[in-house]
Every structure is written in C-alpha cells, then in structure tokens.
Amino acid sequence: MSSKPPEKENLPFLMDYVPEFFQRKCEEELNETPERKQAALQELRSMLQKNQTTSGIDFLDDFLVQYLRRHKYKTKPAMKMVENSVDIYRNHNYLIQSIPDKYFLLRSSTKWWRVLPKRCPNGCTILLIQVGKSVSIVSVLCLI
C-alpha cells in the first residue's frame, strides 16, 4: 500500500482521527512502529519529568507523538520543543487563546480570506484569499 493520499478525496476540516494513509506514511518515512513509539514516548516522558520547566505536567501521548514525529523520533530536540511550548504557554498564553468564530465574521479586515470547510487530499488546510479582484488558494497547516 502507498502512503499517497487517495485521489480526489477531500478530508473534512475538523478531524478527530488520523487517516490510514498518514499512518502508512509514518511507517514508511519515520520507521514508526508501536514498539519504537512507546520506547520514544517513555524516554521523552522521563526527560520531561526530570526537567524543571516541565516536571509535574501530565502530557497526553498524542501531544508528545506530534513532537516526536516532527523530530523523526529524536527525543532531545523533541524535548526542547515541548519545553519551548510550555514556556510560551506560561509566559504568553494570550497568543494561543481560542478566538471565537464570530470574530472572523464581524471584522472587516478578515473578509478577504476564508478557511474552506474541507482539506486538500494531503491533509493541508485550504485558505481562500481574495485581494482586490484576484483570488489565490493557499494550502497551509499540514497534519504531518
């Protein structure tokens, strides 16, 4: 089986699952196996508990796996990135607070762009940007 996304299948914008082709992509490109994932998660959790910034925080497995995948299962860079995320959350949490949907509907400055309700087949969020009379479609925020 291929790790390529199915042709002409758009994914929904809000997803609570990881599509099967993403799982295959992780297996092929990152050599991800359940054993490797659990060993890396255990090592990362141990490192996080020993760290002064992150000790005492109970991280979800899915949260930590994102950082491990980003760093191809190298735990030291993943740990540093988790530590930076915790630091940003503690010192600048106003940057990541949820923005209500009505904000985007009522502000005139946001009427020139829209987030489309479906993702492209490779999992990226699609923004429709209209400046003047030209229209651009931009894919951003990939899942993996």
Side-chain angles (χ1 to χ4, degrees), residues 13-34:
F13 177 68
L14 297 174
M15 296 176 58
D16 60 354
Y17 65 97
V18 177
E20 187 179 322
F21 70 91
F22 281 126
Q23 294 291 351
R24 287 192 306 269
K25 184 176 183 178
C26 290
E27 291 168 5
E28 292 172 10
E29 294 181 15
L30 304 174
N31 297 321
E32 183 178 290
T33 62

Side-chain angles (χ1 to χ4, degrees), residues 47-117:
M47 293 169 68
L48 290 169
Q49 289 306 317
K50 293 175 185 173
N51 184 288
Q52 185 178 2
T53 305
T54 57
S55 65
I57 300 174
D58 187 25
F59 294 99
L60 297 174
D61 286 352
D62 292 342
F63 178 79
L64 296 178
V65 167
Q66 291 179 42
Y67 289 95
L68 288 168
R69 285 178 176 162
R70 162 66 177 86
H71 292 285
K72 299 183 180 185
Y73 283 88
K74 295 176 185 161
T75 54
K76 287 182 183 178
M79 198 296 238
K80 184 66 178 162
M81 197 169 210
V82 171
E83 185 180 10
N84 289 342
S85 297
V86 169
D87 185 54
I88 288 172
Y89 181 78
R90 286 184 176 162
N91 297 316
H92 307 286
N93 65 359
Y94 60 90
L95 294 173
I96 54 176
Q97 290 175 348
S98 180
I99 301 172
D101 291 340
K102 68 180 183 179
Y103 175 86
F104 295 108
L105 300 173
L106 301 175
R107 298 284 183 161
S108 60
S109 62
T110 59
K111 290 183 181 177
W112 57 273
W113 66 277
R114 291 282 183 256
V115 177
L116 298 184

